[in-house]
Amino acid sequence: MRTIGLIFDLHLMSDTHAEGERRKYDGVPRARRACEKLNEVGVDWTVAGGDLRTLASHYPHRTDWGRWHDDPDNKYYRKDFRRAKELLDDELDGEYHPIRGNHDRPLSVWEEFFPPEEYPQWFHFREDGARYVFLDSSPHQGYHHLTQTQNFVTAPQLSMLERLMDEDGEVPTFVFCHAPLAKHTELHPDWETGYTGAYRFTLNYPSVQHVLERGNTVLVNSGHYSSDHGRETTAVEGVKYVIARHLGGSDPDYAGDVRWMTVDADRREATVHYYDLSADEEGLLAEATW
């Protein structure tokens, strides 16, 4: 059996800046608490599921990503990524696999700290009778405003999924992607409306779902959108899509969920658990058999 840590949406920040520009918190204490919980659970490895850093301003429509705060050299982005990398290296007992979120920009700076030869943008591996697939829903460079990120899974990633499902469609498959690959409309009534509607999920999710359904895909874990709205598992054609509260948020007093997934390929069952840092309680989020 394998136990896998799921730490989505850390939203770390290196320090504060001028009033109204950088938020007055760094998120490190709650991220450390989340890592402590995963170490206590005894996970074999962890998925750092995107949005390791946070938006640098309260103004989501600003487009000058590389020039904020007199920052032509991306100084603050480098600080944020450095702090996130050092925290994950220092606080987690086991190895971890990072994937990008919409805040993890620009790509060029991300790759300074997570070089592609060591941390591919998207990849897969098999372990103990199960297959694990890591997708990148933010494949662009990232110099545009946050509500036009156009979360999507690229054609090469879809080709990889098609090949995996066609080569061995029976192996139980578990997928990780920052932006949701299904619509969790029960969490919020305006999931598809408003100026952030298309920002909340992966735009070409139907194409991804159709490929996943060709094989034995069991669970898909995502982050990105839910904040404090709740937790949900949505089933589409036998595949379960799981989402939970952000770990980090813009309120310095907020602390959300850290998750872990158990996979027992011999017994053909898997579960996803959550731990609520604010309430100091844990529970079962999803379970699946195949």
Side-chain angles (χ1 to χ4, degrees), residues 30-82:
R30 66 180 164 227
R32 285 178 175 154
R33 290 175 56 203
C35 292
E36 288 173 5
K37 182 62 180 181
L38 295 181
N39 294 337
E40 175 189 314
V41 169
V43 300
D44 294 289
W45 45 269
T46 296
V47 181
D51 282 3
L52 306 188
R53 64 175 303 279
T54 198
L55 177 62
S57 171
H58 287 298
Y59 308 105
H61 297 297
R62 295 187 63 170
T63 59
D64 51 343
W65 280 95
R67 300 178 182 85
W68 282 359
H69 326 303
D70 300 317
D71 184 18
D73 297 320
N74 292 306
K75 176 176 66 175
Y76 287 99
Y77 302 96
R78 288 190 172 92
K79 280 188 174 183
D80 292 347
F81 284 133
R82 181 178 295 109

Side-chain angles (χ1 to χ4, degrees), residues 122-144:
W122 42 276
F123 62 101
H124 64 91
F125 61 79
R126 290 179 65 158
E127 182 179 67
D128 286 355
R131 178 165 55 207
Y132 301 96
V133 180
F134 304 77
L135 300 178
D136 180 8
S137 58
S138 304
H140 33 63
Q141 284 289 329
Y143 285 101
H144 46 265

Side-chain angles (χ1 to χ4, degrees), residues 9-15 22 25-32 51-56 76 79-88 103-104 247-249:
D9 299 277
L10 276 74
H11 288 287
L12 300 183
M13 180 174 283
S14 59
D15 53 18
R22 290 182 65 83
Y25 74 99
D26 60 16
V28 169
R30 66 180 164 227
R32 285 178 175 154
D51 282 3
L52 306 188
R53 64 175 303 279
T54 198
L55 177 62
Y76 287 99
K79 280 188 174 183
D80 292 347
F81 284 133
R82 181 178 295 109
R83 196 168 206 187
K85 179 72 163 57
E86 290 175 352
L87 183 141
L88 294 170
H103 287 261
D104 298 324
L247 177 66

Side-chain angles (χ1 to χ4, degrees), residues 77-78 81 85 100 104-122 136 138-141:
Y77 302 96
R78 288 190 172 92
F81 284 133
K85 179 72 163 57
R100 288 180 74 217
D104 298 324
R105 54 184 65 204
L107 176 61
S108 58
V109 179
W110 167 273
E111 290 183 339
E112 291 179 21
F113 297 91
F114 301 101
E117 60 271 17
E118 185 178 358
Y119 302 100
Q121 278 186 259
W122 42 276
D136 180 8
S138 304
H140 33 63
Q141 284 289 329

